[in-house]
Amino acid sequence: MCGIVGYVGYRDALGVVVDALRRMEYRGYDSAGVAILDGASEIAVERKAGRLANLEAELAEAGVANFAGTTGMGHTRWATHGAPTDRNAHPHRDTTGAVAVVHNGIIENFAPLRHELESAGVELRSDTDTEVAVHLVSRAYTSGPTAGDFVASALSVLRRLEGAFTLVFTHAEHPGTIVAARRSTPLVVGVGKGEMFIASDVTAFIEYTRDAVELGQDQVVVITADGYAVTDFDGNSGVPTRPFTIDWDLAAAEKGGHDYFMLKEIEEQPAGVAETLIGHFDNGRIVLDEQRLADQELREFDKVFVVACGSSYHAGLLAKYAIEHWTRLPVEVELASEFRYRDPVLDRSTLVVAISQSGETADTLEAVRHAKEQKARVLAICNTNGAQIPRESDAVLYTRTGPEIGVASTKAFLTQITANYLVGLALAQARGTKYPDEVAGEFAQLEAMPELVARVLETAPQVREIARRFARASTVLFLGRHVGYPVALEGALKLKELAYMHAEGFAGGELKHGPIALIEDGLPVIVVMPSPKGRAVLHSKLLSNIREIQARGARTIVIAEEGDDTVRPFADHLIEIPAAPTLFQPLLSTVPLQIFAAEVAQTRGYDIDKPRNLAKSVTVE
Ligand code: F6R
């Protein structure tokens, strides 16, 4: 979390930086700030708690003319150390005002460093871990072996820091230079003509350049208007970086005519599912994106763990149904935050599937590292090209749905489910648990899903109308069985995080073991029905559950397959979705739940792109 940007070139840096912050605000919105260099002895800094709009108002009041310059950097914060206040907002400056820093991540050894600075008489002015870095660079520049050398001063400090961080430094005496470093958190370089950028993600600069370079772990980049140089923390050049061309366009990162990114992203789901499948069936075989695992290894796994957080975890629960059914391999699904702390039994014949939209989630990253330490092999499902989780994994499957800006996962979730199926089919193919024509058949059915997802989107007006009726309810329950159960959990999570309502998902069979006590007159319950043809037993069991809750006064909103007339008498509201193979139904049944949550939240007056207390990428545990 936290979005950072740096610019050196010929344009008005303030404009470039503020625009970039606007696009990266989804990364955190506890405060925003800018630093602009124009050759003066002090760096001009403005920073403000709250949304970017607060900073813009502050800049307007201070007079933008005071922020003229062609070098600058900016920060949008998701608070970790220190409350989301003005004084803790980035950039932070040293006591002379000549050095400034912005930071994403955590400096774990900040306490002894702070003590060292305070003992030397430095007065720190924030509660952040970040501020120590700027004073240390200032002191290294003022005296000692690196005196007068900005880059060497920054390197000497970076070598002392522990934790996960992207740090960006500027120095008033070097107005055309920015020094940036990364350890575990993201940093990309945008390569322009006569201008250079650094940022947490490419949306910050795609308006200006498509040429980008991804930095590796523990690397430092120095940018000037004319170019960039990458070294390790010891200043050695020749370290490996990954140049790439950005294939997202600017429109993909903007709202495309919708009031909210989330609504646009819900509509992008058919395309996302289709894109995620493209190129993965070649010459009669399923292929992954980056496979550094031999087919022999895929054959020899005797167990699969799926690790993820939040919605990605719900996608992981669905992976279990497909992988076990197709491969007969036992699959355990774990919250990444629990996984490594309970000492799971892992070895080289274990496959760990790590699912993460951002590829940055700290818990999932640490789960991956733990798995690798135990010699397990890791396959990442990720939406962010080159993020840390795929980099550290043995194989990668990208969900190709473009940047997801809305904080709540929507298109990422659907494409993660799609990617799970590809992983299941790749394993089944390698292990021979499905014949090649069966793999081809499943893939063909998957290819038909985007069109069906598009048909579900047509139910949006009906779903919104139902949502408005229940927008003032205090609790909404979600029920499902089999693959409908993780969908119920996901529907409840969407409602919680967007509408701040009490919502819970249950497996239909569990109802009588406790949750049925919650049912009272008028309580809305959303039920995800299995296909009457695909899973007839489950269908009739869930039908009985609906009867039970309706008899106790629940208002039932039922999502059922078109033509499923048996459910009609028990549905106060019926949302029909097209028939689909049992395992693939979640790609359809999830969509009305997303629309429902978004509409309830909007009716209650909430910003669905930026739910309170949340950030898009959670890079702290
Ligand atoms: C919920 C949501 C979160 C994320 C979770 C994992 O709508 O978006 O629960 O799914 O924080 O994030 P990634 O997938 O980036 O690891």
Side-chain angles (χ1 to χ4, degrees), residues 144-432:
T146 57
D149 186 333
F150 174 36
V151 177
S153 301
L155 287 173
S156 72
V157 173
L158 289 165
R159 287 193 291 272
R160 301 187 62 195
L161 303 182
E162 290 165 18
F165 49 80
T166 300
L167 281 159
V168 184
F169 297 104
T170 46
H171 197 301
E173 288 175 21
H174 304 269
T177 302
I178 292 181
V179 182
R182 80 168 285 238
R183 171 176 291 161
S184 291
T185 50
L187 182 63
V188 279
V189 181
V191 183
K193 289 193 176 56
E195 58 185 349
M196 298 290 298
F197 307 79
I198 45 116
S200 304
D201 80 47
V202 298
T203 53
F205 54 72
I206 46 177
E207 198 179 339
Y208 309 105
T209 180
R210 301 293 166 125
D211 296 324
V213 180
E214 181 197 310
L215 292 196
Q217 180 75 337
D218 282 6
Q219 291 187 355
V220 178
V221 65
V222 179
I223 61 166
T224 61
D226 302 325
Y228 69 96
V230 182
T231 68
D232 61 17
F233 281 14
D234 290 320
N236 299 310
S237 51
V239 292
T241 57
R242 193 179 73 95
F244 63 102
T245 306
I246 304 159
D247 52 14
W248 291 348
D249 58 14
L250 184 56
E254 292 182 343
K255 288 183 197 144
H258 292 274
D259 289 341
Y260 291 99
F261 284 108
M262 182 186 170
L263 301 180
K264 170 175 163 264
E265 288 158 3
I266 288 174
E267 290 214 345
E268 286 172 346
Q269 295 185 111
V273 172
E275 290 271 327
T276 299
L277 294 172
I278 286 173
H280 288 304
F281 192 68
D282 192 27
N283 264 330
R285 289 184 65 77
I286 298 285
V287 284
L288 305 178
D289 284 315
E290 293 171 26
Q291 185 163 342
R292 299 176 284 263
L293 284 174
D295 256 16
Q296 180 66 19
E297 288 178 279
L298 293 181
R299 272 195 285 282
E300 285 171 4
F301 290 129
D302 58 16
K303 189 179 197 182
V304 179
F305 277 98
V306 183
V307 292
C309 302
S311 291
S312 301
Y313 167 73
H314 296 154
L317 291 174
L318 289 164
K320 179 178 170 79
Y321 293 85
I323 299 176
E324 287 190 340
H325 183 63
W326 287 335
T327 69
R328 311 312 299 147
L329 268 172
V331 180
E332 285 189 44
V333 189
E334 291 242 11
L335 291 168
S337 53
E338 293 291 322
F339 178 72
R340 75 188 163 119
Y341 296 109
R342 70 159 187 87
D343 202 11
V345 182
L346 306 163
D347 57 30
R348 58 182 76 249
S349 51
T350 312
L351 174 67
V352 173
V353 179
I355 307 178
S356 175
Q357 185 284 132
S358 59
E360 289 177 27
T361 299
D363 285 313
T364 312
L365 178 58
E366 290 306 328
V368 165
R369 289 178 175 161
H370 182 74
K372 295 211 75 174
E373 275 161 23
Q374 310 295 309
K375 307 279 180 270
R377 310 310 303 270
V378 179
L379 188 156
I381 293 177
C382 184
N383 194 41
T384 313
N385 202 307
Q388 195 65 19
I389 290 172
R391 285 170 68 94
E392 297 195 17
S393 300
D394 299 298
V396 187
L397 190 54
Y398 285 109
T399 49
R400 298 201 207 100
T401 189
E404 189 176 67
I405 309 287
V407 164
S409 174
T410 53
K411 62 179 184 172
F413 181 71
L414 250 66
T415 54
Q416 287 167 343
I417 303 173
T418 309
N420 287 335
Y421 299 141
L422 289 174
V423 171
L425 290 176
L427 285 167
Q429 158 186 282
R431 304 169 72 82

